Amino acid sequence: MKNKDEKIGGRMSRVDAVLKVTGGATYFAEYEVPNLTYGVLVPSTITRGRIKNIDTKKAESAPGVLAVLTHVNAPKVPAYEAKEPSKTSSGRGPGMMAFHNDEIHFNGQPIAMVVADTFERATYAASLVKAEYQEQKHQTDLKANLAKGNVPKTNKSLQDYQRGEKDAYKTAPVNLEEEYVLPSEVHNPMELHGILAQWDGPDKLTVYAKTQGVKMTQQVIAETFKLPKENVQVHSQFVGGAFGMSLRVWPHEIATILAAKKVNRPVKLVITRNEMFTIAGYRPHTHQKIGIGATKEGKIVGISHWANVQNSNYEEFTEATVAMTKFMYQIPNVNTTYRVVPLDICSPIPMRGPGEATGAFALESAIDELSYALDVDPIELRIMNYPEKDPERDLPWSSNYVREAYKMGADKIGWSNRSNQPKAKMEDGMWVGYGMATGTFGAHRRPATARACLNANGTLLVQSAASDIGPGTGTAMVQIAADVMGIPANRIKFELGESNLPDAPIQGGSATVASVGSAVHEACMELRQKLVELSGNALKNAKVDTLVYEDGKISSPKDRSASITYAEVLKRNNLPKLEVIKESKLSEDQQKKFAMYSFSVHFVKVHVHPTTGVVKVKHAVALADAGTIVNHKTASSQMMGGAVGGIGMALTEEAVIDHRFGRYVNNNFADYHVPVNADVPEVDVLFVDKKDPYTTPMGSKGLGEIAIIGMAPAIANAVYNATGKRIRELPITPDKLI
């Protein structure tokens, strides 16, 4: 192929870039359908209790109002009637039953939906709905309810774990025990959550959704409403950021589908910014404690990790907060404890780097604290305790180049300029600090199917029901297909985001390129095989793998004159097209033989003002060990995005509840502080870029999660190096430093 950027490992620009920058990309709220109506939710004003009475008469009489749905008059939901609202094969069902009864589980819970012919009329009418409640005492404070934590029932991997001696850190020559707290954080992408639902008769439904998995959404809706799966069509070609918030079907989506049935017209719901805090998930408030002990020489002999995670009172949410502690370092004695604490709040949801990003803050802060107690360089301490294989499962790594990553990152950040003594360096009147931390996430690969169709004119159409929430899925798939087939990228089209396409998993857990990309790779390889078989004597029976596939033709490397174009192969065989459908998945044998993980190392340099306590990240280095990097341009963007998210975790983000009322007090962009351009420093992105021989045909591993995992503790560690003050409760705000 002439254009090297179109090969795997290149820097191909996004295939959908023009659509996005010109407004040609259609997001769920932008679809135009006939007779569209608009839904607006009415939130509960109490935190726990029951609805005694709900008055909708004024709202129903308001101009343009078609209906007001409540638990009194909403259409019945078959799964709710069967008392199985969460029974879905995906495990991502709606959970709380929308408009099913009078119970209030959290402040802001939707108690009604107004449907009107304009959004403005629906908004006004919603203000006219009044409710009387039988209020009950509520609990929203994690710290006050830590003792009520429960062992998870739905996730056995998070039950108590022990390897070797329990709490062995206590008898180590050098030990420490500290608590680390991460507040709730809200996704807050620019695009608000919502859905557009349209019934086509009594048993056919079309939805335009903000989802990270069209097949998942199709499955959940079909099972909830007891419809044949093929009768539910889901469209979601473009998603304006999700970060985990769209990994399930939420109750307000079910409510919108009910509303469409009630008024017998399409209904669109776009929730408000403050509703993003209450009904679309968040990273849960988490209280952790770590005990860690080592020999005086720096060998870690034991670690204990406890985590208490806030949950809703109506379903259980778990994430891998303590997972990294079990295998990241070679420690003979490890025990972990994970508890869920039910509170009167909405359910949490995975948020970028779910669990591991939270757990890494505690683990990597504790490792840093231990390095100071030992007077050992933090990198050297990690290298001393590097595991040659996975100590949790006693398996070899499929690949692990973390030690190489340490050196690369240290050289780039200028680690040699760091002092091991806190508060020892100043620049421009500011305290200077250097910090680093490691991250890891499973290199997941899920079953996926791709269809590859070569047309007689030499163009290639590739299809799979994947989602793209922003990382450039379509670009990566075109690039993989172009690399395998030797067809210029501008002659390849990848279709995604439609439920009638071949099966693809959710876009979550950093698994899309590994899963769907493998299916695309294998489908194109099979397409090549068929082309050779159909070429007859043109290639003198050469072996498929020895041939050259370039510029839409097959050539013999020994005799380049012996070649045939793909179009000519189809023409000779009187074929208008050649199609392959291929399912791809990692064999169980491979999964049992190797521990498959991606790894990251984050380095930062900070300035801290000695009087005001203001922290400024001056330089960040984000480094990934994620196998072969399919597209260096989009992967670099991912790593930069993770760095920005990590800055938010460390310095600015915190969703605050007034526990007297169980209500968020900063549910807006003015008071909930996401990082802005002024907060983001120069970010250098580096890749080890060495092929993993076992994970995928491309040798790639997941990248999205590790982009953020470890960044927050790296910043916290740098702040300590600058100031000598260890902040163990995020975010690190000036008041905690002065």
Side-chain angles (χ1 to χ4, degrees), residues 169-170 175-181 287-293 303-307 361-363 365-370 373 720 726-729:
Y169 74 92
K170 292 182 177 180
N175 64 67
L176 59 90
E177 182 180 295
E178 299 293 351
E179 296 181 355
Y180 305 89
V181 180
H287 186 283
Q288 300 176 79
K289 184 168 73 172
I290 289 208
I292 188 169
I303 189 168
S304 299
H305 188 170
W306 300 266
F361 168 60
L363 174 63
S365 294
I367 293 288
D368 195 70
E369 295 202 52
L370 182 63
Y720 176 77
R726 179 69 64 175
I727 307 302
R728 302 185 182 92
E729 182 166 0

Side-chain angles (χ1 to χ4, degrees), residues 179-199:
E179 296 181 355
Y180 305 89
V181 180
L182 192 75
S184 295
E185 298 169 352
V186 182
H187 298 84
N188 273 326
M190 287 187 289
E191 182 192 39
L192 299 164
H193 202 275
I195 191 171
L196 192 164
Q198 175 179 342
W199 286 91

Side-chain angles (χ1 to χ4, degrees), residues 631-681:
N631 186 311
H632 277 253
K633 181 180 283 189
T634 55
S636 294
S637 294
Q638 281 246 64
M639 294 299 290
M640 289 180 190
V644 174
I647 290 170
M649 285 183 70
L651 301 179
T652 67
E653 295 190 53
E654 180 181 14
V656 180
I657 294 179
D658 184 334
H659 297 302
R660 296 173 301 169
F661 308 106
R663 188 178 305 146
Y664 285 99
V665 297
N666 65 335
N667 51 353
N668 55 75
F669 272 158
D671 299 310
Y672 182 90
H673 298 153
V674 296
V676 297
N677 284 347
D679 300 310
V680 180

